[in-house]
Amino acid sequence: MMKRLMTHSLAAGALMLTAAGMSPVTAQDDAGEALSEEEQVDNGLKNFGYIAGLSRGCVAENQQAAFERDVLEIHASITRLLGVDRAFLFSAAFGYGTSVITDNENCVEVLRQYESRSEKFRGAAQGG
């Protein structure tokens, strides 16, 4: 049973890499060393959370509640698939992203990245 859960967790982690826009084969650290699958998943979650946080600053005030619900749904899915430790990485990066002021001209790209990553995540989380 434990091996089955671990395999499911690693498979979900690989899906998260795809959603975060990272390739599990080519991911490297700053020194050019290959990252383990665990490190890749963690970095992917941090990047996804950061983009989500930046995006919140780009969303119109009357759309922020709906955007925050969307992020909470993603967080809940991460919790179910990968556990609370990894969901914390996502939420901590989201919080940091909300503290960064994004120029209006960069908002289009930030929102595009968020939409792309959230669509990939939803597809991966649903097994598609």
Side-chain angles (χ1 to χ4, degrees), residues 49 53 90-100:
F90 174 83
S91 61
F94 173 82
Y96 177 68
T98 62
S99 72
V100 176

Side-chain angles (χ1 to χ4, degrees), residues 4-5 16 18 23 32 41 47 51 58 61 69 79 81 84 87-88 98-99 102-105 110:
R4 179 192 236 185
L5 289 174
M16 282 302 304
T18 303
S23 166
V41 171
N47 291 333
I51 289 295
C58 293
E61 193 172 321
R69 275 192 302 276
T79 302
L81 291 170
V84 294
F88 176 78
T98 62
S99 72
T102 306
D103 296 329
N104 285 338
E105 60 266 6
V110 167

Side-chain angles (χ1 to χ4, degrees), residues 1-12 81:
M1 176 72 169
M2 182 62 141
K3 185 174 181 178
R4 179 192 236 185
L5 289 174
M6 186 177 284
T7 303
H8 175 66
S9 179
L10 290 175
L81 291 170

Side-chain angles (χ1 to χ4, degrees), residues 48 69-79 90 114 118 121-122:
F48 188 22
R69 275 192 302 276
D70 187 56
V71 171
L72 284 172
E73 287 174 14
I74 290 171
H75 181 268
S77 291
I78 292 169
T79 302
F90 174 83
Y114 174 75
S118 61
F121 172 78
R122 283 189 182 88

